[in-house]
Amino acid sequence: MTLLRLLVALFCAAAAAAHGVVAAESDGDGKHGDLITSLPGLEKMPDFKMYSGYVTVDKDHGRALFYFFAESQNDPSTDPIILWQQGGPGCSSLVGMMTENGPLRAKVGKKGGVAIDINGWSWNRFANVLYVDAPAGVGFSYSNTSSDYNTNDTKTAIDNYAFLQGWFDKFPQFANQSIWLTGESYGGNYVPQLAQQIITGKDKSLSSRLKGFAVGNPVFSCDAWKATQGNIQANLYYWHGLIPLSIYNEWEQTGCARPYPPSDCDAIMKRMTEMVGDNFDPDNLFSDLSLGNATLGVGPVVPPNETVYALRNTWLNQKDVQAALHVHDDKRKWVTCCAEPGQSGGHCQLNYTNHWADILPLYRLFFDKRPDLRILVYSGDLDIATCPFAYAQLCLSELGYTATRQWQPWRVPGGANQTAGYVEVYPRFTYATVKGAGHEVPQFQPAAAFHMVSKFINASFP
Amino acid sequence: MTLLRLLVALFCAAAAAAHGVVAAESDGDGKHGDLITSLPGLEKMPDFKMYSGYVTVDKDHGRALFYFFAESQNDPSTDPIILWQQGGPGCSSLVGMMTENGPLRAKVGKKGGVAIDINGWSWNRFANVLYVDAPAGVGFSYSNTSSDYNTNDTKTAIDNYAFLQGWFDKFPQFANQSIWLTGESYGGNYVPQLAQQIITGKDKSLSSRLKGFAVGNPVFSCDAWKATQGNIQANLYYWHGLIPLSIYNEWEQTGCARPYPPSDCDAIMKRMTEMVGDNFDPDNLFSDLSLGNATLGVGPVVPPNETVYALRNTWLNQKDVQAALHVHDDKRKWVTCCAEPGQSGGHCQLNYTNHWADILPLYRLFFDKRPDLRILVYSGDLDIATCPFAYAQLCLSELGYTATRQWQPWRVPGGANQTAGYVEVYPRFTYATVKGAGHEVPQFQPAAAFHMVSKFINASFP
């Protein structure tokens, strides 16, 4: 984790840049052409159906979004549709599909190479789950018009809305099922922005079927945070034992804990970040540590090319895999995130302008226009420098509501009565933490995330 | 973990009570009688020698302290002697020996029962390690004079000093080797109090051989902490996601963050503690959670009678084990800690008066009279409600020193460049954290604790 990455991460998002041109094909494939009939590395196809391919969102420009769809293992004909949106901006939702809440898991094959397992905590055990790479330029999505790669929040929300309409045209058998939007990190922007498109858009069916949304460790950019952002970080550092008392005292005595602190505080924060050190993952306090049984593993270390990330990346870039997934075969290399050169994901086809708009007015709009929408905001509590729980809580507090069900632990069935996190219920939304989870909650605490979300959409959480 | 236990734990110690009378034998056994020749559950005796038995500290009263001694696996004739003292007050040092830094580890036997392994991270790989049950009434230690069970810090320090002299009389071959005192929790009181006895006592050999000490998550009871103790707890709770922003704001707005806060704060702290919930281990934030691979284990749960604690307790109470350890056979049941009825350890032979004396004057005494002593204070950073790092740091800051080597990460050889913790060096002491460790550091991060302490006594840490 470079210092640059860390500093950027502190603002709970990664900017994205880079230009380029790709050739592209027309969408064309119908639903049946999108059925996945075999997958390299997967010995036996599972009992549920999977589809992947493209939905064209702008025919004139040749702009098409890639999706992966896993039918429910329960009852696909009645279970809800969950849309999942990754963060970034610029990250592919296949990250969620393959290392968080999706059905496929990469592992080392018995004869080398990458093999695939089915994830026991996949959300498609209770819902039909739809992963979309948005905007064009992300993952396997693309445009024939290179200027489309200059994009932003508004354009993305409009494309996501067009995608959903096009996807239901392709899959009319799901046209009456309820819809939930989910996502994490910058998905905390995408999801409410798409929800706004849906509830204010022309497609009344989509709007009436939208039941709610859930966002994990979301980007907010609210006013309360803008006034005091460094202070949350300084406190999280100090109270996790990452910086010494001396610099924490200096921070407070310089007045950096107050809203709109003096400019000297930037230099103190820079020194704090240096003290934390390079070998720190802002997404997860214990990324490099908790190697089983809370022991610093000086036993076998996983070689870099055998991590679950590396195996996923290798597999998604195999030509046979891309063919099985119906990826248009002249697309560029799949990368986790389109980001600035030097950042994770490197240089690719996206120049995204973050609006950094305050997201709370959208929440107020939902509370006013669609009080029936059920909203869950959750935070993995070990994400202490990307989108920490304290940041979400501060922004939500700006909405001015008082909890109707007091903060309390929640538990997971079969979890030996362990505290899986905490939850409080407000008149128009629920806030929960997931204990021991980093930024990508379903990756770090898959059982907890599974139970929390499945119960939430079934109105039994908490 | 009961609420009572939690509230007591917040004060970084557990009181102890109970009276009783035991019959006892004379000490009598010489060194050779103390050699352990076999151990039930251990297939093959290791290459290093182990001894256990008693040292009489008061002949008239029949007061004797039990010890367990593991010779170094390296070179017992030149390696230093490390004395280990458990916390409480009232806890047996066999806790450290069997579940922290000692050589023996209990596990489920192949044919049922308890089997014993040798711990690969035992500190006797680099030192001769001596575990003592003190004061009388703790572990296997006892007195024939029941009034001796009414004791306190001063009496304990005097007995520990007498123990050390008596132990070296029994083992004259170690009479020239350097001595290091170590301990954790309430051991943070015992260790400097014993060091004071040694450097002010008549035994000049003991004093000249004392090279320093190391205390983990120690009790301090300093003035700075007494002024603001609740505030450290409130902040640790909030910044670990255990209580909501609303009550944290209430805490601050009521003035509870200031030194000597208003009495209203007690009620707020009580509500905070209730919100954290019963299923919370003050010793380790993730005790009940991190079951391997940062996943909430909904897989197999270890039956209560097969935990490492339960196996240790069973084994130490087997009659054949007690005979092999030369425990006087009419002693009462071994319990981890002598504590008040209802607390961990239950009702046993100890009525300990905590002096709650400020420990910093002893540190100033060492800095003044014995500036050559090397002192390490370390904190497992996941102990957030027993003796947290922030409490140690606050007390140490009251000493008024400025770090000569700035706070920075430290690493473990072979640890894949992971940050094992942070360290800062002051003119007269070193302070370190151990990342991902609870209150009992060598239990939760055995490799990190091993490297930190072995390097410290070899003057190569950090």
Side-chain angles (χ1 to χ4, degrees), chain B residues 247-261:
Chain B
I247 199 165
Y248 182 68
N249 284 341
E250 186 183 343
W251 176 264
E252 298 222 309
Q253 285 153 15
T254 307
C256 306
R258 294 198 299 267
Y260 306 104

Side-chain angles (χ1 to χ4, degrees), chain B residues 430-447:
Chain B
T430 296
Y431 176 75
T433 68
V434 181
K435 193 173 172 180
H439 185 59
E440 297 83 3
V441 170
Q443 173 184 338
F444 295 108
Q445 295 294 350

Side-chain angles (χ1 to χ4, degrees), chain B residues 273-313:
Chain B
T273 305
E274 286 165 0
M275 285 175 164
V276 171
D278 281 353
N279 196 11
F280 169 74
D281 184 348
D283 282 3
N284 179 30
L285 180 58
F286 295 114
S287 259
D288 296 324
L289 191 71
S290 287
L291 301 177
N293 204 22
T295 300
L296 184 73
V298 184
V301 173
V302 179
N305 58 350
E306 292 187 5
T307 65
V308 66
Y309 306 113
L311 293 165
R312 175 197 65 203
N313 300 355

